[in-house]
């Protein structure tokens, strides 16, 4: 039996694929090694919802049989894990909430089906904020407790795709899937120092995925690199008649055809990098800005159109969630959630007036129009993914986001996540350094269907930096 | 019996206090959201971005 060395846990997809093809180890050996690590380190970080070892080993045997016959598939033998809101046939899908702990579906989510066809091996389901968030104030708003950051277990991994960020960072899976309604891929990716891609709304099917907001939910990969995000996105993207939000588009990962950096104009707000970010993180962010400049892109100072993005996103999220979970709230099961703030948010949302929800949606139309105009002047928008490092699990999750004195200009960082999600825009979060031994990250946001440009920029940035190759020492 | 009845609401109130505070905070946040959105001028022809397919 071949030995699987520890470096496989932090290897990229292409590297593992090559080593599987060269028979350095088999898919079964690789899968066993990852399952053992997931089962050992996952609970230590409150990151594991469910190990799927038996079915994973069976899948790995199939992968080895195919490799022996010379049949190669895109992600053959690559171990991955999913946030526990993706249905996996015959296994519990808890949505991170105690009242749903016994829920079992009889069909795999569409993206799980697509990854299965690509030969990827599903090894487990990962912790998440209950019901993918909405009004929660504590890292403990989860069935599995606060998900601990692999870089510092006194810190939060971010949410709501908490386990997806932590598992990728800790080398518990080669890649993971998360979802984002309003920051749930970008935030854990940034806090955990991994690369996360939020696709354009409608590019990836949500069939078999818990709904939080029909018009804002997106499924995306959390990986070691932009390269891996492209390889995974190519598999999971595509039209689906069973997802009413599906745009009927596919995606081919073609970074070789991405526009040259010299042809790109990137909008940003200097104040974000100079004054808004955590003072301890400023050297890292300034260095990241220099690295972006050195690619040859033109940087242009911009401001975002003036809209109350946060309130609009919160209102739409309230309306959709409380409609989706109306029976759950009325039944009183809502009281079994872990976070009192989330319980109150859901209950109080029952009184949201229809005209207010529609007002938010109509403002959203204006936001989309203004962003279309903004993207005439710039090709991408750049901002810190988060201006702070991961918060302590013992305090409120928004602790530290204020500045005293507050900079005179608001910058764009605080509005870009909600704005991007309201307009359905794709984004990529790239690790860009450390502050107090915790990761920080930048995000590029593009106009719809420009994933290849974002991935190309990510690859370029990661060819000049090595932050995405760093990983915590976990034993 | 009287003592039991008197004690019951006190226990209940203690249990619901955090949720009452949370409810108040949620309502305050919703009011702020509402005020922020009220300041946006929306042209009368602006439709919400729903996509109904017949």
């Amino acid at each position: 039996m071949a030995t699987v060395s520890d470096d496989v846990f932090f290897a990229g997809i292409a590297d593992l694929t090559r080593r599987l093809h060269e028979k350095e180890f088999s898919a079964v050996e690789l899968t066993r090694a990852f399952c053992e690590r997931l089962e050992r380190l996952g609970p230590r970080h409150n990151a594991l919802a469910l190990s799927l070892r038996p079915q994973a080993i069976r899948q790995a045997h199939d992968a080895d049989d195919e490799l022996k016959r010379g049949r190669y598939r895109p992600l053959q033998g690559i171990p991955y894990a999913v946030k526990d809101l993706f249905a996996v046939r015959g296994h519990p899908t808890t949505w991170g909430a105690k009242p749903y702990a016994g829920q079992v579906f009889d069909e795999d989510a569409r993206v799980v089906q697509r990854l299965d066809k690509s030969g990827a091996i599903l090894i487990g389901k990962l912790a998440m904020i209950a019901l993918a968030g909405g009004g929660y104030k504590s890292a403990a708003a989860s069935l599995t407790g606060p998900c601990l950051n692999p870089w510092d277990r006194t810190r939060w991994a971010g949410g709501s795709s908490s386990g997806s960020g932590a598992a990728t960072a800790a080398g518990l899976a080669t890649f993971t899937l998360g979802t984002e309604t309003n920051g749930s891929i970008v935030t854990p990716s940034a806090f955990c120092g991994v690369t996360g891609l939020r696709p354009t709304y409608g590019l990836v099917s949500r069939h078999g995925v818990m709904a939080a907001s029909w018009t804002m939910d997106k499924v995306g990969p959390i990986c070691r690199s932009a390269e891996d995000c492209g390889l995974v996105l190519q598999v999971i993207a595509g039209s689906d008649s069973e997802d009413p939000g599906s745009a009927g588009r596919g995606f081919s990962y073609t970074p070789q055809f991405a526009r040259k950096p010299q042809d790109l104009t990137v909008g940003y707000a200097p104040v974000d990098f100079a004054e808004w970010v955590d003072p301890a993180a400023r050297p890292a962010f300034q260095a990241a800005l220099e690295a972006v400049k050195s690619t040859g892109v033109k940087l242009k100072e911009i401001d975002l159109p003036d809209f109350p993005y946060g309130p609009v996103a919160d209102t739409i999220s309230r309306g959709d969630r409380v409609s989706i979970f109306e029976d759950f709230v009325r039944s009183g099961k809502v009281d079994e959630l872990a976070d009192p703030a989330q319980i109150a948010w859901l209950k109080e949302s029952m009184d949201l007036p229809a005209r207010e929800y529609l007002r938010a949606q109509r403002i959203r139309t204006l936001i989309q129009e203004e962003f279309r105009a903004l993207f005439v002047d710039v090709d991408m928008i750049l901002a810190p993914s988060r201006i702070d490092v991961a918060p302590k699990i013992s305090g409120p999750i928004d602790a530290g986001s204020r500045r005293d004195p507050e900079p005179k200009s608001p910058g764009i960082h605080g509005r870009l996540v909600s704005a991007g999600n309201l307009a359905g825009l794709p984004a990529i979060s790239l690790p860009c350094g450390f502050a107090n031994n915790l990761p920080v990250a930048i995000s590029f946001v593009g106009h719809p269907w420009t994933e290849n440009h974002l991935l190309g920029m990510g690859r370029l940035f990661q060819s000049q930096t090595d932050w995405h190759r760093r990983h915590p020492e976990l034993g | 019996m009287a003592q039991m009845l008197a004690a019951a609401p006190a226990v209940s109130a203690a249990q619901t206090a955090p949720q009452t505070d949370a409810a108040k905070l949620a309502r305050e946040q919703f009011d702020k959201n509402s005020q922020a959105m009220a300041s946006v001028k929306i042209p009368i022809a602006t439709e919400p971005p729903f996509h109904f397919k017949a």
Side-chain angles (χ1 to χ4, degrees), chain A residues 154-179:
Chain A
T154 69
R155 303 273 176 166
W156 186 39
S160 65
S161 307
S162 317
S164 304
T168 303
L172 312 186
T174 300
F175 70 90
T176 62
L177 293 187
T179 59

Side-chain angles (χ1 to χ4, degrees), chain A residues 137 215 243-246 306-308 310-312 314-315 318 335 340-341 343-345 347-349 356-366 368-369, chain B residues 16-51 53:
Chain A
K137 301 283 186 202
T215 58
D243 176 357
S246 174
D306 186 21
F307 289 105
V312 171
D314 193 49
T315 303
R318 282 171 63 204
D335 290 318
I343 295 169
W345 187 89
K347 285 182 174 176
E348 295 298 321
S349 291
E356 197 147 314
Y357 178 80
L358 288 167
R359 182 171 191 84
Q361 289 283 15
R362 293 175 73 211
I363 294 172
R364 189 179 186 185
T365 296
L366 303 179
Q368 284 189 289
E369 288 170 4
Chain B
T16 57
Q19 288 195 17
T20 307
D21 289 347
K24 184 167 171 282
L25 287 171
R27 282 195 297 274
E28 285 172 1
Q29 184 59 51
F30 298 165
D31 286 345
K32 283 184 194 164
N33 288 351
S34 188
Q35 285 165 24
M37 290 198 302
S39 67
V40 179
K41 300 280 181 222
I42 307 176
I44 198 161
T46 305
E47 292 189 17
F50 299 144
H51 301 288
K53 294 176 208 162

Side-chain angles (χ1 to χ4, degrees), chain A residues 406-440:
Chain A
E406 203 165 85
K408 284 178 185 162
S409 163
I412 62 176
H413 70 278
R415 297 174 288 163
L416 189 58
V417 169
S418 290
N421 278 289
L422 286 165
L425 308 176
I428 190 165
S429 181
L430 307 164
C432 73
F434 290 83
N436 299 325
N437 299 316
L438 289 162
V440 290

Side-chain angles (χ1 to χ4, degrees), chain A residues 180-183 198-203 213-218 245 247 304-305 307-310 312-314 316 360-375 381 415-427 445-451, chain B residues 49 51:
Chain A
E180 173 151 332
T181 306
N182 192 22
R198 179 186 79 212
T200 305
Y201 175 80
L203 182 60
S213 169
W214 297 295
T215 58
M216 291 176 70
D217 292 343
K218 281 86 56 185
L304 295 187
F307 289 105
Y309 299 102
V312 171
D314 193 49
I316 293 169
Q361 289 283 15
R362 293 175 73 211
I363 294 172
R364 189 179 186 185
T365 296
L366 303 179
I367 289 170
Q368 284 189 289
E369 288 170 4
E370 291 285 335
F371 265 82
R372 275 194 282 273
L374 179 63
F375 278 119
I381 302 169
R415 297 174 288 163
L416 189 58
V417 169
S418 290
N421 278 289
L422 286 165
L425 308 176
V445 176
H447 53 96
W449 322 116
T450 59
E451 278 80 1
Chain B
H51 301 288

Side-chain angles (χ1 to χ4, degrees), chain A residues 143-154:
Chain A
L143 176 61
T144 40
C147 189
L148 311 182
N149 194 308
W151 292 95
D152 176 349
R153 292 196 302 137
T154 69

